[in-house]
Amino acid sequence: MEEATTPEQPKRTRKLGRIAIYIFAAVGLLFSVLIAVMALQSKPQAPRTFDANEAIDGVMTRNYGKYSESQQGWLYVDETSHVTYLVTVVQQKKVDGKEGDELYLVTSGRAIANKDEDDSFYGVFQLRYRDGQLYEYSDPRRPSDVDPVTPERVHFEALSADVWGWVVKTSSYESGVGEHFTTTRNVVLAPRNEQIAVLTEFTAAFQVLGGGDCKETESQYADWEKAKAEKKAAPAEGETAQEASSEEAEEEFEIVPPRCTQLQWSYRTDPVSDSTFTPLYITRKAGMQGGAQVPAKTWKVMFDPKSYTYLLPEELKNVGM
């Protein structure tokens, strides 16, 4: 039995078909747009880069002044003392950062205008991209005592997978009556936020000598000790109590020759693989301290994220200071 069909049914069917086609077309267009947007977002941006030589020239000129072709360095004039320093680049390293090139730089300045000036300084710099812009983070003038920082005094270290830093050696000398002190220290620095942070300082070498080398220093001390013992054991015949008291007063102000101290420390780091900072393994080599032999010893020094420093044990603090 056939059903009757009214004239309105074919029109309604055709209208519903067109609506379905429009819906499918709109969905397809939206899907295509979504794919295009995702493709653009997932497309890696070209790494941001810059010319290292041009960047270094800009950093040095901004911080130290004009370059001198004749002296092969930048001439920096201290605004307070008016002393002129010749500043050179002693270490530079370009690495791949999160947003592009990163440049690490160490400079060294020594006084040249005044022949009597023996002071020096060093500077540490980092150039890196942040939010698409190139920024400079720096500490342009840190004291390095009497010895200028040279290339062999700078070690560029990976402290974590995200942080590079420097270990810079500085030396100081002190002289007293009949004794000489020499101290070399390792300063560990790294960029943090918008500044350069000091993560720790520890002694690299410490020496105390009288005259000559360690053997001669110990010989001088032994001679002094022997003479003192002989003087006490055999007082002069007829010596009065007043004379003895006078001699005791002289002994109180007598200069005691130093004992030999010769100590050295080395360090190493672990390979880095994540954001965790590597420990520092600091080793004191076998040496002499106050005339006595001391054995080798190694300390594992851990990094504290809260204070952003390496936590030195008491035995490594203030050695030679």
Side-chain angles (χ1 to χ4, degrees):
M1 180 177 175
E2 293 183 357
E3 294 182 358
T5 303
T6 63
E8 287 80 4
Q9 286 180 326
K11 291 182 180 181
R12 189 162 47 250
T13 302
R14 288 195 298 271
K15 186 176 180 181
L16 291 174
R18 285 197 299 270
I19 292 173
I21 291 172
Y22 294 152
I23 292 174
F24 284 124
V27 171
L29 179 61
L30 289 174
F31 187 67
S32 300
V33 170
L34 181 61
I35 292 176
V37 170
M38 292 178 63
L40 288 173
Q41 289 180 341
S42 62
K43 183 180 179 181
Q45 292 183 344
R48 295 182 174 92
T49 185
F50 56 85
D51 183 90
N53 292 330
E54 289 182 3
I56 289 171
D57 185 66
V59 167
M60 300 297 285
T61 301
R62 283 193 301 274
N63 288 277
Y64 302 117
K66 293 183 179 180
Y67 181 79
S68 170
E69 291 286 351
S70 61
Q71 302 201 57
Q72 299 294 296
W74 285 260
L75 298 180
Y76 169 73
V77 181
D78 183 271
E79 294 181 356
T80 303
S81 65
H82 304 294
V83 173
T84 300
Y85 297 81
L86 178 65
V87 188
T88 57
V89 176
V90 295
Q91 181 268 345
Q92 64 182 84
K93 183 69 174 180
K94 205 175 184 183
V95 302
D96 295 329
K98 291 182 177 179
E99 293 192 33
D101 287 347
E102 292 183 3
L103 179 67
Y104 292 78
L105 194 69
V106 178
T107 63
S108 179
R110 61 179 179 84
I112 60 171
N114 189 338
K115 297 296 183 182
D116 296 328
E117 290 285 349
D118 58 0
D119 65 314
S120 58
F121 67 84
Y122 69 98
V124 285
F125 300 82
Q126 184 204 34
L127 289 179
R128 75 169 184 265
Y129 285 101
R130 192 188 74 194
D131 300 328
Q133 297 293 320
L134 187 62
Y135 287 87
E136 173 188 317
Y137 307 97
S138 63
D139 190 348
R141 191 171 176 184
R142 298 185 53 82
S144 56
D145 295 311
V146 296
D147 279 348
V149 169
T150 53
E152 61 271 16
R153 287 174 173 260
V154 180
H155 290 273
F156 189 54
E157 298 283 0
L159 301 178
S160 76
D162 304 319
V163 178
W164 289 83
W166 307 271
V167 180
V168 180
K169 281 183 167 58
T170 63
S171 295
S172 62
Y173 307 98
E174 291 183 31
S175 292
V177 179
E179 58 185 353
H180 309 280
F181 300 83
T182 305
T183 306
T184 302
R185 296 188 65 76
N186 286 315
V187 185
V188 185
L189 307 108
R192 185 193 184 194
N193 297 331
E194 298 180 4
Q195 60 184 354
I196 305 296
V198 177
L199 307 190
T200 192
E201 294 186 39
F202 60 94
T203 306
F206 180 51
Q207 178 177 270
V208 180
L209 294 175
D213 57 12
C214 188
K215 183 178 180 181
E216 188 172 346
T217 297
E218 284 299 299
S219 177
Q220 290 173 355
Y221 180 84
D223 291 343
W224 171 83
E225 199 172 41
K226 181 180 178 182
K228 184 179 179 181
E230 290 175 350
K231 190 174 182 180
K232 283 188 175 181
E237 187 176 344
E239 183 180 46
T240 64
Q242 184 176 357
E243 289 173 338
S245 176
S246 177
E247 286 186 1
E248 288 176 1
E250 288 179 4
E251 287 182 3
E252 185 179 347
F253 294 100
E254 186 178 8
I255 297 174
V256 180
R259 305 295 302 272
C260 172
T261 293
Q262 285 188 325
L263 295 172
Q264 288 185 316
W265 291 259
S266 61
Y267 79 92
R268 69 174 180 85
T269 59
D270 279 338
V272 296
S273 57
D274 54 30
S275 60
T276 304
F277 274 63
T278 173
L280 297 178
Y281 299 89
I282 301 175
T283 299
R284 181 190 66 205
K285 300 177 182 178
M288 182 84 74
Q289 184 171 17
Q293 292 288 336
V294 293
K297 185 176 180 179
T298 298
W299 294 264
K300 182 179 181 180
V301 181
M302 303 302 295
F303 184 77
D304 175 31
K306 291 184 178 179
S307 64
Y308 213 77
T309 60
Y310 281 96
L311 302 177
L312 288 180
E314 291 298 324
E315 291 175 280
L316 294 176
K317 290 181 179 178
N318 303 322
V319 178
M321 298 181 68

